[in-house]
Amino acid sequence: MGVWIVVFIVLALMGSFFWILPSPRDRKRMEFRQKAMRAGIKVRLPDKGLKDRLIRFEDQVLGAAMYELFIIARNKPELTGAFFVIKVEGEGEWRFNEVSLPIGLQEISSRIIQELVVLPDNFNLVMLSSNGTSIFWDERGEDEYVDQLLGVMTEVNSILLSMPQ
């Protein structure tokens, strides 16, 4: 009887120990985030205020992390507010959500979409502003996705900087 009590206590302690360990999925997310932050990308989870502003993109934002690459330049693009590029479900094609874009953004919109085409399938919402590029990602995939993300965001930011005023 005493042996069973000891076995039960050991199993209870082991269960508690394994319960606090992160799952393999959580460890992978942490790797993605650390790699992105080392590369200069800010990673954050959308808070309630941001989710409220992005309610029309609820399907894309739900369960996704926001990866942001800010434009570090004195002369920033003249964009008022945020503009969204969304991947059309089923088609895999990127489109601006807004029907009417400012003239400067209209001129560079096709170049931006060309850059976004290289992103894997689980990237489906991009937010552009005068501060830079933000991409929502469900953090599934391979380590190379972070490198692709950085390359695309860097190119999109440089395209935004080349936007005619």
Side-chain angles (χ1 to χ4, degrees):
M1 181 70 170
V3 172
W4 288 109
I5 293 174
V6 171
V7 168
F8 178 74
I9 291 173
V10 168
L11 288 176
L13 290 174
M14 286 177 51
S16 298
F17 176 73
F18 287 121
W19 184 71
I20 61 172
L21 286 177
S23 69
R25 171 101 169 93
D26 288 339
R27 282 195 290 269
K28 190 70 170 172
R29 283 180 174 171
M30 287 186 283
E31 288 174 23
F32 287 145
R33 292 173 186 174
Q34 287 173 349
K35 186 173 184 179
M37 287 186 276
R38 281 193 299 269
I41 299 173
K42 181 180 177 184
V43 181
R44 66 181 174 135
L45 298 174
D47 58 1
K48 184 175 177 2
L50 183 59
K51 284 182 181 178
D52 289 345
R53 285 185 285 158
L54 299 176
I55 193 72
R56 61 187 168 168
F57 304 112
E58 184 176 13
D59 293 341
Q60 289 80 16
V61 175
L62 192 63
M66 184 176 178
Y67 284 67
E68 301 173 290
L69 186 63
F70 295 115
I71 294 175
I72 304 173
R74 203 168 265 193
N75 299 326
K76 294 191 179 203
E78 290 186 22
L79 289 174
T80 304
F83 295 89
F84 296 93
V85 188
I86 190 167
K87 188 184 287 182
V88 180
E89 212 172 305
E91 297 177 29
E93 182 179 308
W94 290 92
R95 289 191 193 140
F96 275 87
N97 192 55
E98 291 78 11
V99 175
S100 177
L101 295 173
I103 293 173
L105 191 56
Q106 281 179 6
E107 292 180 22
I108 62 170
S109 63
S110 61
R111 290 174 50 204
I112 291 172
I113 289 175
Q114 285 176 350
E115 289 299 324
L116 298 177
V117 169
V118 301
L119 288 174
D121 290 335
N122 54 346
F123 294 87
N124 51 19
L125 180 64
V126 176
M127 183 173 69
L128 306 173
S129 70
S130 60
N131 291 326
T133 305
S134 302
I135 297 181
F136 292 85
W137 178 28
D138 65 3
E139 298 176 308
R140 296 183 191 272
E142 306 300 322
D143 288 337
E144 301 88 50
Y145 287 8
V146 176
D147 297 327
Q148 286 179 316
L149 182 65
L150 177 62
V152 167
M153 293 174 91
T154 302
E155 281 300 312
V156 170
N157 281 351
S158 66
I159 292 169
L160 285 173
L161 285 172
S162 72
M163 183 174 76
Q165 302 299 329

